[in-house]
Amino acid sequence: MSEALIDKRVAPALITLCSGPEFSVRISTIPAFGTIMETVTQKELLERVKMQLASFLEDPQYQDQHSLHMEIIKTFGRVGPNAEPRFRDEFVLPHLHKLALGNNMQMADTKRLDIATQLFEAYSALSCCFISEELMVNHFLPGLKCLRTDMEHLSPEHEVILSSMIKECEQKLENKNIQEPQGSVSIAASLVGEDAKTKFLNKMGQLTTSGAMLANVFQRKK
């Protein structure tokens, strides 16, 4: 599908759906907006989509819409690594940080675990991207630490992985590798040795694909 067709037909139709009365219909547009952000290059179109996603995140009427937040985080994790770096840096990472911080205040453990698990998936995907030191300090690391706070209570197995990610980020900031682009860090690349990297990714894969395990952990915490 051409960008012109997306600009003239698809995007306006999606934006119209977002003004409808049904929240479920509005939520269903989020993956499509994400795909547009991932695939098109036209600046004006990207800005329109960005504004719509921002309204989902910042409009008070969506503040307690759990399903909407789940879909946005899932979409960020899917498209973030492939989206325009500026969109990822200026929009995705700051909003993931806000969502992680807000989830620390969630009183319902079921919803808190849902969001935390989805955030874990998103941060795991984005950890392979190059992230500037400023963003690492201001958004990525603080977001990971908020997420670790949730997992300490809800899923200790995930907390172990997050602690490892945080430690590697902090070490990378302290000891810059001159072989990497100046001012950027890559968490996945910073793991010490191929063996450690393989173990990390294997463990992360086991955690993210084991819904039964998460359910059992949650049951024990009740």
Side-chain angles (χ1 to χ4, degrees), residues 100-115:
L101 183 62
N103 202 47
N104 286 164
M105 310 301 173
Q106 173 61 253
M107 301 302 295
D109 279 355
T110 303
K111 291 182 177 180
R112 189 178 181 188
L113 179 60
D114 285 346
I115 294 292

Side-chain angles (χ1 to χ4, degrees), residues 55-74:
S55 73
F56 284 141
L57 289 161
E58 298 167 6
D59 192 320
Q61 69 174 312
Y62 300 118
Q63 183 175 355
D64 297 321
Q65 291 295 320
H66 178 72
S67 297
L68 182 142
H69 291 157
M70 287 283 289
E71 194 61 56
I72 284 182
I73 297 168
K74 181 179 179 180

Side-chain angles (χ1 to χ4, degrees), residues 69-79 96 118-119 122:
H69 291 157
M70 287 283 289
E71 194 61 56
I72 284 182
I73 297 168
K74 181 179 179 180
T75 298
F76 281 174
R78 175 174 62 86
V79 308
L96 281 178
Q118 204 64 65
L119 283 168

